[in-house]
Amino acid sequence: MSSHQHQKLARVLYRSLLRVSRKGNHPEVFGKYGKQAKEYPLPHTASEVRAILRGGFRMGKTSRAIDVANIDTTDRQSKNDAIKEAFEILRHSNEMSSILLPQKDDLPSALPIFEYTDAGVLMEEEIQFNFFEPRYRFLAQEALSRDGTFILGQKHSSSLLKIVEHMFLPNGNIAVRCIGGPRIKVLRREKVNVGEDNVLAQATKFDIESDDFDEESQQNLFAMRLRCLELMKCVYPKTNITSMGLPPIDPERFSFWALRFTLSQSDPASRQRWLACLSTFISFISFA
């Protein structure tokens, strides 16, 4: 592949990442690859996220894809490896976007519900399950036959989860690795008979929940987001902060991203209470 072709490919990848991140408004979709931007200042605006992307893709005589894909290298094998890495970043970002920024119309009309009160999964977090009950093995198979999504029903709230990896075990169990998405409000649920004495709940009407704030409140929340991020920089090394990817620009999403630093995995009750809280302002006050 010629230098011109490399540059053209880099432009395509750059525009694709720009599109999947909603023009830089949602850097959280870069997931684990966001930590590769550790030499840049932590972004506060979509324009700063776009600047990071532009810095990764050197338009002109050289073409680089997010730091690791050194497409401008003269070694052919290194170029090929860089291209593969760049496409992996794009694939991962598209997958994260489908989990973190789902469109309701793109979700199945009915979602199976896994009733489990011993977990509180925040957006972007990973969780693993070993489904052994027949009804939940059915849930996993049903989810995998579609887009991998199901609802985690908790005591005070519900969340959308997506299966990103699975394994059918010799004993019939199904092991899954999931990533947490947005909160879900179940408006109507029905019971489905999936076998003898096995009933599975499913949501046949639901909404994606979010905090509804006006423009003035949004400006105040952006200021609180900035303050929280500055506090985090005083407490945690930058590498620790970026280990969870780039911080979201959206104040509500940022509040839950920040709570991951303070909420223990072994305290599902506290996590569920915060998931049930629809006030981003209260979430920021708690963090501060």
mmCIF file of all heavy atoms in Angstrom, residues 105-131:
data_model
loop_
_atom_site.group_PDB
_atom_site.id
_atom_site.type_symbol
_atom_site.label_atom_id
_atom_site.label_comp_id
_atom_site.label_asym_id
_atom_site.label_seq_id
_atom_site.Cartn_x
_atom_site.Cartn_y
_atom_site.Cartn_z
ATOM 1 N N ASP A 105 -35.269 2.507 19.070
ATOM 2 C CA ASP A 105 -35.847 1.839 17.903
ATOM 3 C C ASP A 105 -34.972 0.689 17.402
ATOM 4 O O ASP A 105 -35.457 -0.190 16.672
ATOM 5 C CB ASP A 105 -36.058 2.843 16.770
ATOM 6 C CG ASP A 105 -37.162 3.855 17.087
ATOM 7 O OD1 ASP A 105 -37.973 3.572 17.997
ATOM 8 O OD2 ASP A 105 -37.192 4.924 16.445
ATOM 9 N N ASP A 106 -33.690 0.708 17.778
ATOM 10 C CA ASP A 106 -32.787 -0.355 17.341
ATOM 11 C C ASP A 106 -32.791 -1.550 18.293
ATOM 12 O O ASP A 106 -32.253 -2.611 17.952
ATOM 13 C CB ASP A 106 -31.358 0.184 17.217
ATOM 14 C CG ASP A 106 -31.232 1.224 16.106
ATOM 15 O OD1 ASP A 106 -32.056 1.189 15.168
ATOM 16 O OD2 ASP A 106 -30.328 2.074 16.200
ATOM 17 N N LEU A 107 -33.372 -1.380 19.490
ATOM 18 C CA LEU A 107 -33.435 -2.470 20.453
ATOM 19 C C LEU A 107 -34.613 -3.390 20.136
ATOM 20 O O LEU A 107 -35.591 -2.955 19.516
ATOM 21 C CB LEU A 107 -33.588 -1.913 21.877
ATOM 22 C CG LEU A 107 -32.399 -1.124 22.429
ATOM 23 C CD1 LEU A 107 -32.769 -0.475 23.763
ATOM 24 C CD2 LEU A 107 -31.181 -2.027 22.616
ATOM 25 N N PRO A 108 -34.534 -4.650 20.558
ATOM 26 C CA PRO A 108 -35.668 -5.548 20.360
ATOM 27 C C PRO A 108 -36.931 -4.997 21.030
ATOM 28 O O PRO A 108 -36.844 -4.257 22.019
ATOM 29 C CB PRO A 108 -35.208 -6.851 21.029
ATOM 30 C CG PRO A 108 -33.713 -6.781 21.013
ATOM 31 C CD PRO A 108 -33.381 -5.331 21.181
ATOM 32 N N SER A 109 -38.083 -5.345 20.514
ATOM 33 C CA SER A 109 -39.345 -4.837 21.068
ATOM 34 C C SER A 109 -39.618 -5.400 22.460
ATOM 35 O O SER A 109 -40.348 -4.800 23.253
ATOM 36 C CB SER A 109 -40.513 -5.177 20.136
ATOM 37 O OG SER A 109 -40.584 -6.582 19.921
ATOM 38 N N ALA A 110 -39.032 -6.553 22.777
ATOM 39 C CA ALA A 110 -39.156 -7.156 24.112
ATOM 40 C C ALA A 110 -37.777 -7.598 24.576
ATOM 41 O O ALA A 110 -37.017 -8.194 23.807
ATOM 42 C CB ALA A 110 -40.112 -8.339 24.092
ATOM 43 N N LEU A 111 -37.455 -7.277 25.818
ATOM 44 C CA LEU A 111 -36.144 -7.628 26.368
ATOM 45 C C LEU A 111 -36.319 -8.538 27.575
ATOM 46 O O LEU A 111 -37.084 -8.216 28.493
ATOM 47 C CB LEU A 111 -35.391 -6.363 26.787
ATOM 48 C CG LEU A 111 -34.831 -5.485 25.667
ATOM 49 C CD1 LEU A 111 -34.328 -4.162 26.230
ATOM 50 C CD2 LEU A 111 -33.711 -6.204 24.932
ATOM 51 N N PRO A 112 -35.630 -9.687 27.603
ATOM 52 C CA PRO A 112 -35.702 -10.563 28.790
ATOM 53 C C PRO A 112 -35.064 -9.887 29.988
ATOM 54 O O PRO A 112 -34.140 -9.077 29.845
ATOM 55 C CB PRO A 112 -34.933 -11.806 28.355
ATOM 56 C CG PRO A 112 -34.019 -11.342 27.261
ATOM 57 C CD PRO A 112 -34.745 -10.229 26.565
ATOM 58 N N ILE A 113 -35.552 -10.220 31.180
ATOM 59 C CA ILE A 113 -35.078 -9.590 32.413
ATOM 60 C C ILE A 113 -34.391 -10.626 33.292
ATOM 61 O O ILE A 113 -34.971 -11.673 33.612
ATOM 62 C CB ILE A 113 -36.243 -8.946 33.187
ATOM 63 C CG1 ILE A 113 -36.947 -7.888 32.323
ATOM 64 C CG2 ILE A 113 -35.745 -8.309 34.484
ATOM 65 C CD1 ILE A 113 -38.197 -7.309 32.967
ATOM 66 N N PHE A 114 -33.177 -10.324 33.685
ATOM 67 C CA PHE A 114 -32.437 -11.139 34.655
ATOM 68 C C PHE A 114 -32.592 -10.476 36.008
ATOM 69 O O PHE A 114 -32.008 -9.432 36.273
ATOM 70 C CB PHE A 114 -30.970 -11.233 34.249
ATOM 71 C CG PHE A 114 -30.109 -11.988 35.230
ATOM 72 C CD1 PHE A 114 -30.579 -13.102 35.912
ATOM 73 C CD2 PHE A 114 -28.804 -11.576 35.486
ATOM 74 C CE1 PHE A 114 -29.783 -13.792 36.819
ATOM 75 C CE2 PHE A 114 -27.992 -12.253 36.381
ATOM 76 C CZ PHE A 114 -28.488 -13.373 37.047
ATOM 77 N N GLU A 115 -33.401 -11.080 36.866
ATOM 78 C CA GLU A 115 -33.644 -10.527 38.199
ATOM 79 C C GLU A 115 -32.475 -10.898 39.104
ATOM 80 O O GLU A 115 -32.297 -12.059 39.471
ATOM 81 C CB GLU A 115 -34.955 -11.077 38.777
ATOM 82 C CG GLU A 115 -36.169 -10.855 37.886
ATOM 83 C CD GLU A 115 -36.707 -9.434 37.970
ATOM 84 O OE1 GLU A 115 -36.095 -8.601 38.693
ATOM 85 O OE2 GLU A 115 -37.726 -9.151 37.330
ATOM 86 N N TYR A 116 -31.671 -9.891 39.449
ATOM 87 C CA TYR A 116 -30.467 -10.148 40.242
ATOM 88 C C TYR A 116 -30.171 -8.925 41.084
ATOM 89 O O TYR A 116 -29.888 -7.847 40.560
ATOM 90 C CB TYR A 116 -29.292 -10.460 39.309
ATOM 91 C CG TYR A 116 -28.044 -10.932 40.006
ATOM 92 C CD1 TYR A 116 -28.014 -12.164 40.659
ATOM 93 C CD2 TYR A 116 -26.879 -10.164 39.983
ATOM 94 C CE1 TYR A 116 -26.866 -12.616 41.283
ATOM 95 C CE2 TYR A 116 -25.718 -10.601 40.597
ATOM 96 C CZ TYR A 116 -25.712 -11.825 41.246
ATOM 97 O OH TYR A 116 -24.568 -12.267 41.864
ATOM 98 N N THR A 117 -30.234 -9.085 42.399
ATOM 99 C CA THR A 117 -30.092 -7.941 43.306
ATOM 100 C C THR A 117 -28.692 -7.816 43.908
ATOM 101 O O THR A 117 -28.443 -6.895 44.679
ATOM 102 C CB THR A 117 -31.116 -8.041 44.449
ATOM 103 O OG1 THR A 117 -30.906 -9.262 45.176
ATOM 104 C CG2 THR A 117 -32.539 -8.029 43.903
ATOM 105 N N ASP A 118 -27.788 -8.716 43.558
ATOM 106 C CA ASP A 118 -26.456 -8.700 44.161
ATOM 107 C C ASP A 118 -25.423 -8.002 43.279
ATOM 108 O O ASP A 118 -24.229 -8.276 43.372
ATOM 109 C CB ASP A 118 -25.987 -10.125 44.462
ATOM 110 C CG ASP A 118 -26.777 -10.746 45.602
ATOM 111 O OD1 ASP A 118 -27.319 -9.989 46.424
ATOM 112 O OD2 ASP A 118 -26.872 -11.991 45.657
ATOM 113 N N ALA A 119 -25.889 -7.120 42.417
ATOM 114 C CA ALA A 119 -24.952 -6.370 41.563
ATOM 115 C C ALA A 119 -25.546 -5.008 41.258
ATOM 116 O O ALA A 119 -26.764 -4.829 41.254
ATOM 117 C CB ALA A 119 -24.675 -7.128 40.272
ATOM 118 N N GLY A 120 -24.666 -4.062 41.030
ATOM 119 C CA GLY A 120 -25.073 -2.744 40.570
ATOM 120 C C GLY A 120 -24.100 -2.327 39.497
ATOM 121 O O GLY A 120 -22.963 -1.948 39.789
ATOM 122 N N VAL A 121 -24.508 -2.430 38.259
ATOM 123 C CA VAL A 121 -23.587 -2.235 37.135
ATOM 124 C C VAL A 121 -23.767 -0.835 36.559
ATOM 125 O O VAL A 121 -24.858 -0.478 36.102
ATOM 126 C CB VAL A 121 -23.828 -3.293 36.040
ATOM 127 C CG1 VAL A 121 -22.799 -3.146 34.927
ATOM 128 C CG2 VAL A 121 -23.768 -4.692 36.633
ATOM 129 N N LEU A 122 -22.694 -0.056 36.579
ATOM 130 C CA LEU A 122 -22.705 1.278 36.001
ATOM 131 C C LEU A 122 -22.339 1.195 34.515
ATOM 132 O O LEU A 122 -21.787 0.194 34.050
ATOM 133 C CB LEU A 122 -21.724 2.188 36.728
ATOM 134 C CG LEU A 122 -21.913 2.314 38.250
ATOM 135 C CD1 LEU A 122 -20.825 3.196 38.841
ATOM 136 C CD2 LEU A 122 -23.290 2.859 38.584
ATOM 137 N N MET A 123 -22.649 2.255 33.772
ATOM 138 C CA MET A 123 -22.310 2.285 32.350
ATOM 139 C C MET A 123 -20.810 2.086 32.141
ATOM 140 O O MET A 123 -19.998 2.641 32.884
ATOM 141 C CB MET A 123 -22.764 3.607 31.734
ATOM 142 C CG MET A 123 -24.258 3.674 31.467
ATOM 143 S SD MET A 123 -24.764 5.142 30.526
ATOM 144 C CE MET A 123 -24.621 6.403 31.795
ATOM 145 N N GLU A 124 -20.481 1.283 31.174
ATOM 146 C CA GLU A 124 -19.106 0.944 30.762
ATOM 147 C C GLU A 124 -18.495 -0.166 31.599
ATOM 148 O O GLU A 124 -17.452 -0.714 31.223
ATOM 149 C CB GLU A 124 -18.164 2.154 30.783
ATOM 150 C CG GLU A 124 -18.512 3.278 29.847
ATOM 151 C CD GLU A 124 -17.449 4.356 29.848
ATOM 152 O OE1 GLU A 124 -16.289 4.066 29.469
ATOM 153 O OE2 GLU A 124 -17.758 5.491 30.257
ATOM 154 N N GLU A 125 -19.081 -0.518 32.717
ATOM 155 C CA GLU A 125 -18.501 -1.547 33.570
ATOM 156 C C GLU A 125 -18.734 -2.939 32.992
ATOM 157 O O GLU A 125 -19.743 -3.195 32.344
ATOM 158 C CB GLU A 125 -19.087 -1.489 34.982
ATOM 159 C CG GLU A 125 -18.511 -0.402 35.833
ATOM 160 C CD GLU A 125 -18.908 -0.538 37.284
ATOM 161 O OE1 GLU A 125 -20.062 -0.910 37.560
ATOM 162 O OE2 GLU A 125 -18.075 -0.254 38.160
ATOM 163 N N GLU A 126 -17.801 -3.819 33.277
ATOM 164 C CA GLU A 126 -17.932 -5.216 32.872
ATOM 165 C C GLU A 126 -18.440 -6.048 34.038
ATOM 166 O O GLU A 126 -18.147 -5.756 35.200
ATOM 167 C CB GLU A 126 -16.592 -5.779 32.400
ATOM 168 C CG GLU A 126 -16.122 -5.242 31.074
ATOM 169 C CD GLU A 126 -14.941 -6.014 30.527
ATOM 170 O OE1 GLU A 126 -14.596 -7.068 31.122
ATOM 171 O OE2 GLU A 126 -14.366 -5.595 29.512
ATOM 172 N N ILE A 127 -19.193 -7.082 33.725
ATOM 173 C CA ILE A 127 -19.647 -8.026 34.731
ATOM 174 C C ILE A 127 -19.785 -9.388 34.062
ATOM 175 O O ILE A 127 -20.097 -9.479 32.865
ATOM 176 C CB ILE A 127 -20.985 -7.584 35.376
ATOM 177 C CG1 ILE A 127 -21.308 -8.465 36.590
ATOM 178 C CG2 ILE A 127 -22.126 -7.585 34.363
ATOM 179 C CD1 ILE A 127 -22.430 -7.931 37.456
ATOM 180 N N GLN A 128 -19.536 -10.433 34.824
ATOM 181 C CA GLN A 128 -19.625 -11.795 34.290
ATOM 182 C C GLN A 128 -20.680 -12.582 35.053
ATOM 183 O O GLN A 128 -20.853 -12.413 36.258
ATOM 184 C CB GLN A 128 -18.265 -12.490 34.388
ATOM 185 C CG GLN A 128 -17.168 -11.812 33.587
ATOM 186 C CD GLN A 128 -15.854 -12.562 33.651
ATOM 187 O OE1 GLN A 128 -15.808 -13.755 33.905
ATOM 188 N NE2 GLN A 128 -14.756 -11.841 33.399
ATOM 189 N N PHE A 129 -21.386 -13.417 34.308
ATOM 190 C CA PHE A 129 -22.392 -14.288 34.902
ATOM 191 C C PHE A 129 -22.179 -15.706 34.392
ATOM 192 O O PHE A 129 -21.713 -15.913 33.265
ATOM 193 C CB PHE A 129 -23.819 -13.851 34.535
ATOM 194 C CG PHE A 129 -24.208 -12.487 35.054
ATOM 195 C CD1 PHE A 129 -24.429 -11.441 34.172
ATOM 196 C CD2 PHE A 129 -24.359 -12.261 36.415
ATOM 197 C CE1 PHE A 129 -24.792 -10.181 34.633
ATOM 198 C CE2 PHE A 129 -24.715 -11.006 36.886
ATOM 199 C CZ PHE A 129 -24.937 -9.973 35.996
ATOM 200 N N ASN A 130 -22.559 -16.656 35.252
ATOM 201 C CA ASN A 130 -22.595 -18.068 34.864
ATOM 202 C C ASN A 130 -24.045 -18.512 35.000
ATOM 203 O O ASN A 130 -24.516 -18.806 36.092
ATOM 204 C CB ASN A 130 -21.672 -18.896 35.763
ATOM 205 C CG ASN A 130 -21.639 -20.367 35.361
ATOM 206 O OD1 ASN A 130 -22.223 -20.752 34.351
ATOM 207 N ND2 ASN A 130 -20.984 -21.186 36.165
ATOM 208 N N PHE A 131 -24.776 -18.510 33.891
ATOM 209 C CA PHE A 131 -26.199 -18.841 33.922
ATOM 210 C C PHE A 131 -26.367 -20.356 34.013
ATOM 211 O O PHE A 131 -25.932 -21.091 33.121
ATOM 212 C CB PHE A 131 -26.901 -18.309 32.671
ATOM 213 C CG PHE A 131 -27.000 -16.818 32.609
ATOM 214 C CD1 PHE A 131 -26.547 -16.116 31.499
ATOM 215 C CD2 PHE A 131 -27.547 -16.093 33.668
ATOM 216 C CE1 PHE A 131 -26.646 -14.731 31.438
ATOM 217 C CE2 PHE A 131 -27.642 -14.709 33.616
ATOM 218 C CZ PHE A 131 -27.195 -14.033 32.507
#
